[in-house]
Every structure is written in structure tokens, then in C-alpha cells.
Amino acid sequence: MKLARRLCSLLLSLLVLSAAVFWIARLAPGDPLVSYYGQRAERMTPEQRAREEARLGLDAPIHVQYVRWLRNALHGDLGVSFKYKRDVVDVIRGRVSNTLLLGGVGFALIFSMALGLGLLCARFEGRPLDKILCKLGTLSSCIPEFWLSLLLILIFSVYLRVLPSSGAWSVDGGGAADRLRHLILPMTVVVTGHLWYYAYMIRNRLLEEVRADYVLLARSTGLGRRRVLLRHCLRNALPSYLSIMAISVPHIMGGTYVVETVFSYPGIGTLCYESARYQDYDLLMVLCLLSGAVVIVCNMLAQAINEHIDPRVRAAAAERAEADGHG
Amino acid sequence: MCETLLDVRGLCHSFPLGAGRYLRAVDGVSFRIRKGEIFGLVGESGSGKSTVARCVMNILRPQAGSILYRGVDVCDPAQFRANRRMLQTERQIIFQDSSSSLDQRMKVADIIAEPLAVNHIVPPRGSLRAEAAFQLRYVGMDPAYLDRYPPELSGGQRQRVAIARALTMEPSLLVADEPIAALDVSIQAQIINLFRHLQAEHGFTFLFIAHDLAVVRYLCDRVGVLYRGKLVEMAPTKELFDRPLHPYTKALLSAIPIPDPRRERARTRFHFDEAAFDRTGGFVQVSPEHFVLGGKEAEP
Amino acid sequence: MDERFALVGLCPAAEQAAPKGRRPGKRPALAAAFLALMVLGCLLFPLLLTKDPASMDLSNYAREPDGTFWFGTDTMGRDIFAMIWSGGRVSLSIGFLATALSTVIAVAVGAVSGLAPRWLDALIMRLTDILLSIPSLLVIILLQAALGRANIASLSLVIGATGWMSVARVVRTEVRQLRTSEYVAAARCMGGGTFHILRRHLAPNFLASIMFMVVMNVRGAIVAESTLSFMGAGLPLDTVSWGSMLSLAENALTAGAWWIVLIPGLFLVATLLAVTELGEWLRRSANRGQSNL
């Protein structure tokens, strides 16, 4: 019942999103034929252009195009990428694992390191360690991702020549070690770009908890600082942290596209950027819907986590359910 | 005899609980307050006291019933608009929690002078600040507090500031919604004495809401007892405390501790059975000033 | 008069300890001074300098910093020192313009949502949540593509239009909380209209809580501009900004010209850091309790 309702709202949101993206993308003044034919498009005669536009279905009014797209999409035909001249799903399938690798591992690293850093800072609040970490964190949050990427490339690829500056693997292919070498720099940027935001969040959340009276009580019963922090404070801080992390999945995964672009990493991010820039309509639509779905699912996940872990929210939900049942 | 200042007739208000359910907070409450008297409204928490106060002050809009102030129905939008200025300057309210009823970002001087500034009244003592200083002194605080912010004051001082703010308008009707409930007992006594003193000086009419019976007995001329949104009994203070008729009132009065151990031990406590509460009966007059709900219990 | 108060107890002010003022937290003097210097420099230097930041001179292609070109030249032969100041002008003004726009939208949406009936509030907040959870850079690229060739105004518009959601949420929460508070009820009782309440009570209270976020939005807008321009989706090469200067960095990397990457970036990071320090200082007034640990 609840699941069905959520599924409905998911589908409805995706429908609205698809319509919005369709309209905005087609309002853009670019020329989609350029992305299909490249330079050749500029040399076409008007008749040729009209014929090609008709062939690609670009001559109809926008709403007709949208309905046609929707009908095809429901039949499983999501269209063809103008640039790659292949089925959109194929284009994405080739890229998605790269982004999942970069974003997924990055997410796991951010999640665990932020927790550790946050705990460390909260435990040593106001001491030199906390102050140094906070300063470093502030500094790291002020460095734009693209510039950090450039800096790292400058140091490790141009001057030291120890790490590759672009791509996900070498041309001749070199197995897992080679992939790993290609991942180091982009991963460093992804992690530094987001780490402090979450570490600082958990630090502040813990500091709020530390000021609660139950901590005083626990301390007065003789529990050690460490135990109080880990057993009591963390437990109270964790639900909000988990739900925020769930919401942040699309940010971290989608946020990799700056990094992917700088490192020419063949992932979804580069694809998104290209398709938005070069009017690759069908590709753009699918990518937007994909990220929209991820966003919405993650939000639902966050809410579910909240309800599941936090007894207050759970109680409120139960009360609501009861009221629904009776009313 | 005395002129009626406030006439509440059949007041009803309910809050939506969601899912189509409603909480009847106030259910057909009627009472009159005469000019210059102190009328106390007592009841346990959740009995609808504050809702009555908020309806009287137009903060809430009652679903049924009317509230006549000087013969003007304040619940009627047209009549309210026509008499807006009179209503807003003559009626003032003091809330229970002074930490939330004072804007923390305003200085004491600005808080006290706010009603004057809002209504563009020329301050009778020269400047707004002089007026604020006068009122502050009037409620027993040093004018040195004028430039402080509410969080820097103690609870009792904040409540005095709230009282001073209400007094700047020289109100005819002062509604106090549990003004002492959030204070220490020693401060409560000070504030109650302040109220008595101010009422004697100003002669304003006072709707005093409390759950503390001892305070009501000390301060009020007449008392109404509210239970679950119903007015169960209304009588002059002495009469009510000497000869309570409704079983709820009896139970309530019997719960007052006596500051004498021997008599305290001998005190018999009535128990009031909630299930037996009959909310359908009418309000019956048992003596010229004494009303009780139901009437059956009215037999002595 | 004093005897009359014997009964009610006059509270002499002297009893009270001195008001607990804000703990004199370290003021970000350095950050403020640096920002002032940057703003002043960006305003004045382009007027004083004789070199035209946009003039290309291929005979001075990618020169290292020396006496004539203090910060060197880029791969199009432009003087980086001159570009820093005129580019800073563009970057900073986009930061401020975009933030001003996003703040206005945020306060308007937040106040409407906070004062609106429940269903409208729920609707607005649901939409805000959805907008908030979409990575904004993608939306910016899309919108900018729809608006056509970017200039300062259009870029500020796009960045501002995508940056208001989190502030709006805070404003809405604050307004909703404040409007049920008793001092607002008291103000209403004494005859204060909606405007009076908004101006005297609501605005001062929620402004304090969004100040930090607004300052952080300035930072976000500057980062967004530079990232977009760097990726080639923002300002074109001939509109000099810190981001568009860095869009030449990939050529510079192959040429090994570190100054083209390093110098504009350092200015960018230093400015962002100063803005952050300022924001943190604004935030520090809260969360001052004693640790129980």
C-alpha cells in the first residue's frame, strides 16, 4: 500500500521531470544537426536540412515530439544518441560502470572518513588536533574541484610523471593495477571535494549531542569519554547522518562530472555534460531521468532510514498509521 | 449593579487533529466580567483556559458563540474592523512564558514602547524611551534595564517587562494567561502582589487564568472553574471555596495542600470520576451569584 | 514612590551581573582586510593599469613571470597580472549578483511558504526539496544552454536561480516557528499589521539565521562561475574572469606553464577562504554551550 503510493509518486515525478527537461532542452538555441553530422551540418542546403530534420523527427511542434518520445519510451525505445549514433541505452551501458566505480568507492571513502574525522574532532573539541583539522577542512572546502584536479595533474603527471593525467585505462590496457593508477587522482579530488562537508556536519551534530544532559549523566556514572561518545552520542547523531548521506548519493555520484571532465574520464558525468552542451536530446533525456530517479529513490531511502532508526519518528509514523486506520 | 465589560456567550472552539478528527477545546462557555473586577478562570492543563483567553483576544477565531466587549462583538469581522483601534488599545494580554512572548532581538525599551509605536500614539511622557522608563519603574524595575535584551533578564524580570508592555496602553481589560506558572514560588508572590497593587492603582478589569487555586483565592473576586472545555461552576471566590457544589470543584479544592501537617493529614480528598462527567446538563443558578453545571449535584 | 514597591520588590539593576555580551570571538580581521583589498584592487587596478587585459600578443606567448609581466602571460599572450584584477571584478560581481538574486528569491519563497496554509506550504516545500536534490551544476549548464551565449548578467541569473533552495527552507522554518510564537501574537494583539510583524519581528530573527548561508552562497556562486567558465559552459574566453582564465589551463599543462594554473587559482582560493572565514565568524555566535564530555 505504502510502497505502491511511493511508486506512483516516483512515476509521476519522473513524468513531470521528463516534460520539463524536454521543453528546456528544445528551447536551447543550439543546432542538434551539428551534433549528429558534425561540420557537415553547416554545409547543408536548406532542402537537405529539412529532409534530415524530418528524418530525425525534429520538424514537429514540441508537444507532438514529446508525445512521440513518450510513446516510444514506454515501448522500451529510448532513442538514439545523435553524437554516438548508437542506441542511448548502449551508450550509457558502456559508461555507467566507470562512474559507479569512481562515485561508489568515493562515496564509501567519504562516508567512512567523514565519520572518523567527525568523531576525532568532537572528541578533541577545541584542542590543537581539532583546530588543525578544522582549518585544513575549511581550506579543502575552499578549493574548487577543477582547480585541485589541475594542481594534482600539474604535480603528479607533468612534473613528477608518476600518475596518468587522463582516461580510465591506458591504450594498451594494463589490468587492475592500471585502472587503479588511473583512479587515484580523480578519486582524491572527489573525496577531498566532499569530505569536509560531511565530517564537519557530523562533528557539529556530535557537539550538539555532547551538550545534552544525558551525557553528563552517563559521565557521572563513570563511563569513559570514548564510550559515551561512541555508545550514546554517535547513536543519536547517526540517523540524521545516515539520512543526509542517502540524500547526498546523487550529489556525490553526479558531482563527479566536473572531475570526469577534467580527467577525461569516460563516465556518465562527461556524457551528461556533453549531451547538455551539444543538444543530444535523447541521451540528455535518459540521463536526466536516470539521475532524477536516483535522486527520488535516495530521498525515499533517507526517509525510510529516519523512520526505521529514530524511535521518535517511528512512533509518530505509527500514530499516523493508527489514525489513518481509525479515521 | 456594575456595568458588564466582557460578555462571553456560548463560546466554542475546536482544533483539528488531522484525519478529520477534532479536539473540542472550549465547549459552550459563557461568563460575564464586570468592570473593575478580577475574574479568575481555573482548570487543569488542557481544560481550555488558554483557548478562552486567546479567543477573547482575537488570536483564535471561535467556531461558535460570541464575545461582546463593551457591547461590540469582537468575533464579527465587520464590528471588529469598525472598532479596531478601541479594541486593540483597550485590551492587552500577558502570556505565560515570557521568554517566548518577548522578542529576543529587541531591547527592553523597544519592547515596552512597541504598542505605542504600532498605534502611533504620542507618548504622554515626552519620548517613547521616557514612557518605557516610567512603565518599567512602575512594575518595580530599575530603568537601567532599558538597554538590556530579554535573554539577559531573569524570568521574573521578563514577566515584569511583559506586564509593563501591557500597561503602556493603559488597558481597560487585561487578560493574563497563566502569568506566573513559569516562575519560582517566591517570584510568583511578588508578581501576584504587583498585580494587586496595579489593579488597585489602575482599576482595570482583569481576566486572570491560572491552575493554582491558592493564587486565585488570594487575587480574584469571582472564579470560574473549567473542565474539559466546559465551565462547571462559577461563583464569587469566597462562596466557591466555602461551598463548592460541582463534584469536580470539590475534588479540585480538596487537592489543595494545607500548610499544617496535622490538618493536612486529616484532609479528606475527593476523587472525581472522569467517566461520570456529564457534559450535557445546563448551567443552573443556585444562588444569585453562584452557577453550576448540571444542577443535580447542586443539592447540598 | 519607592515605599509603594516595598511589597512587590523593586529589583535594583546593580544586583544583576554585567550583561553577558557575545564572547569576543576572534574577529576575522585578516579575512576582512584581504577581501577589502581584493574588492578595492578589482575596482581600481583596471583603471590604473596601462596594459589591456584582453589584448592578445602572441610574441609574448606563455612567458614566465618577470619584471614586465609580474605574473607572466598566458598561452594567448595576455598579461596575467592585469587579468587577475579585471577577472576578479567579473568573478566577484557574479558572486554578489547571484547571491543577491538567490537571497531575494529565497526570502520571498520562504516567507510565502511560511505564512501560507498547510497544503500550499507542503507543495512549495516538496518542490524545493526536489530542486535541492538535483545537482545544481547540471541544471545551470542546461539553463545556460537554453539562455544562449553567457554574459555576466545571464550567468548571475542562472546561478542565482538555482541557489536559493536551502536558504528558502531555513526562512520557511523560521517564519513558521516565529509566526506561532507568542510575541507575534502579542504584536498582533496590540494592533501590529502583517507588515509591522514581518519587519520588526520576523525579518530580524530569520536574517540572523540565514546570514551565514548567504555568505556561503557568495562562495558557491564564485565557485560555480569559475567551474562553468573553466569547463567552457560559462563565460567565453574573451570575457576575462578567474574561471575563464583557467580554461586555458589544459594548454598550459602541456606547455608546463605552472603560473597560468597556479596564480589565478591561488587568488580564487584565497578569496573563497576569506569569504568562508567571514561566514564562520557569523555562525560562531550560536552553539556556545559548555561541553559535558
Side-chain angles (χ1 to χ4, degrees), chain C residues 244-284:
Chain C
S244 67
M245 286 170 77
L246 284 165
S247 65
L248 287 177
E250 278 181 87
N251 299 342
L253 284 180
T254 49
W258 54 268
W259 57 93
I260 300 177
V261 178
L262 214 58
I263 291 173
L266 280 180
F267 272 90
L268 181 62
V269 171
T271 306
L272 296 178
L273 205 59
V275 172
T276 313
E277 283 289 315
L278 223 58
E280 287 291 331
W281 176 69
L282 283 172
R283 174 148 85 172
R284 240 175 284 153

Side-chain angles (χ1 to χ4, degrees), chain B residues 225-254:
Chain B
V225 180
L226 211 55
Y227 178 69
R228 290 197 181 175
K230 278 273 188 199
L231 201 57
V232 294
E233 192 162 0
M234 181 164 70
T237 311
K238 195 166 177 342
E239 165 103 5
L240 185 88
F241 279 80
D242 290 347
R243 206 163 69 89
L245 292 178
H246 196 276
Y248 176 71
T249 318
K250 286 178 187 162
L252 200 63
L253 294 183
S254 75

Side-chain angles (χ1 to χ4, degrees), chain A residues 142 147 200 211-212 257 273 295, chain C residues 133 137-138 231 261 283 292:
Chain A
C142 285
W147 192 66
Y200 197 58
R211 277 155 184 71
Y257 55 110
Y273 173 70
V295 166
Chain C
S133 54
L137 218 50
L138 197 65
M231 289 169 74
V261 178
R283 174 148 85 172
N292 286 337

Side-chain angles (χ1 to χ4, degrees), chain C residues 108-189:
Chain C
V109 172
V112 166
S113 186
L115 296 171
R118 202 172 287 241
W119 64 269
L120 185 62
D121 172 51
L123 187 73
I124 295 177
M125 278 304 115
R126 199 14 99 79
L127 285 176
T128 310
D129 275 346
I130 291 175
L131 288 177
L132 192 65
S133 54
I134 301 172
S136 62
L137 218 50
L138 197 65
V139 183
I140 295 176
I141 291 175
L142 213 80
L143 282 179
Q144 186 60 66
L147 279 181
R149 196 182 147 89
N151 54 40
I152 297 178
S154 76
L155 204 56
S156 308
L157 182 75
V158 171
I159 294 173
T162 51
W164 52 268
M165 284 82 78
S166 51
V167 180
R169 270 214 330 202
V170 174
V171 172
R172 174 254 173 199
T173 314
E174 288 280 326
V175 168
R176 257 201 131 58
Q177 207 171 20
L178 293 171
R179 86 174 185 156
T180 53
S181 75
E182 288 181 335
Y183 62 78
V184 170
R188 231 176 246 293
C189 283

Side-chain angles (χ1 to χ4, degrees), chain B residues 265-276:
Chain B
R265 253 175 257 127
R267 170 166 72 103
T268 47
R269 294 200 53 179
F270 289 95
H271 179 70
F272 179 66
D273 184 10
E274 287 185 22

Side-chain angles (χ1 to χ4, degrees), chain A residues 197-229:
Chain A
Y197 181 75
Y198 298 104
Y200 197 58
M201 186 181 304
I202 191 128
R203 171 187 180 267
N204 286 347
R205 197 60 196 80
L206 282 173
L207 291 187
E208 265 171 44
E209 286 299 325
V210 158
R211 277 155 184 71
D213 284 342
Y214 74 87
V215 172
L216 212 54
L217 179 79
R219 287 283 294 147
S220 68
T221 60
L223 279 181
R225 293 202 161 107
R226 222 179 126 120
R227 268 176 86 86
V228 173
L229 196 63

